Amino acid sequence: MSGCAKGLDWPALMGVGLHGLGLAPAVFWALTPVELQMMLGTLQQKKPMLSDGLAALMAAYPDTEQGAKDG
């Protein structure tokens, strides 16, 4: 099975897609991994960065010099 992605349990994914979600094989194989994750509810949504997060990044990586390359 050369060329297969390591770490993916294809039999389990196919079982969930074909039996759990009731997808036709052609529909299952046409999905992207992200689409399948969304359908399964396993896609973790990233939260927006709030002012506290921005302040922490600015403190960790301060702008120490300004110059002509600053945009």
Side-chain angles (χ1 to χ4, degrees):
M1 296 191 99
S2 64
C4 291
K6 292 182 180 181
L8 292 178
D9 185 353
W10 285 109
L13 287 173
M14 289 174 62
V16 171
L18 302 177
H19 300 290
L21 296 174
L23 301 173
V27 173
F28 173 81
W29 289 112
L31 292 173
T32 65
V34 172
E35 291 170 331
L36 183 58
Q37 284 181 303
M38 289 178 69
M39 294 177 80
L40 296 173
T42 59
L43 185 64
Q44 296 179 0
Q45 296 179 354
K46 294 184 180 181
K47 296 180 181 177
M49 183 183 303
L50 302 177
S51 58
D52 290 343
L54 178 59
L57 277 176
M58 290 172 62
Y61 303 100
D63 288 332
T64 56
E65 92 181 41
Q66 293 181 336
K69 294 182 181 180
D70 290 347

